[in-house]
Each structure stands twice: as structure tokens, then as C-alpha cells.
Amino acid sequence: GTFLGLVPQSALLGAEEAATARDLARPALTLPPGAPMSDVAQVLGTGHQAAVPILDGGRLAGVITRSDLIAALLHQIGLR
């Protein structure tokens, strides 16, 4: 399949029953595998997305959320 974008919670709450993911998906900033955590922080820091899709050759390889980023930073500074 092809990555279409992220479906924001607000779109789900106002969606009609017949709506599909294709109808609700919004474009999203994505990163490749191996992107530095500073890039992830920049994308999440904008506040426009709650998660960063990781695409490898156009295919979804994973998703990094804000809580994932915080956990990684806590681990880096030795608090986890």
C-alpha cells in the first residue's frame, strides 16, 4: 500500500460512518529510517502532528510518537 497521511483525531470525531481512511487522511511530514532524533523533535515540536511516520522506500516502516521521543530523551540522560 501507499502511505496516504495521518488521520487526526478531530477528523475521526466528525466523520460520517461511510468515511474511509482515504477520505480522512491529511498530508504529514515523514522521516526516513535512521533520521536523527533532533529531526523527530523538530517535526513533533511544531505541534501540527502527534506522531512522525517513518517511511522506507515509500512504505510505512514505523511511527514515532511524542511519548516515544520523551522516553528516548529520558533514556539518553540516564533517567530511564
Side-chain angles (χ1 to χ4, degrees):
T2 303
F3 179 76
L4 300 174
L6 294 175
V7 177
Q9 185 177 10
S10 59
L12 288 174
L13 296 175
E16 298 178 16
E17 278 189 46
T20 66
R22 183 178 298 279
D23 298 330
L24 301 175
R26 303 291 182 263
L29 295 174
T30 63
L31 292 172
M37 292 307 285
S38 58
D39 289 357
V40 174
Q42 265 191 309
V43 172
L44 293 177
T46 67
H48 299 295
Q49 294 178 205
V52 180
I54 305 300
L55 299 185
D56 190 2
R59 297 184 63 87
L60 185 64
V63 176
I64 300 175
T65 65
R66 289 182 182 135
S67 57
D68 294 331
L69 177 64
I70 291 169
L73 293 172
L74 288 173
H75 180 76
Q76 248 183 357
I77 61 173
L79 295 177
R80 245 194 208 174

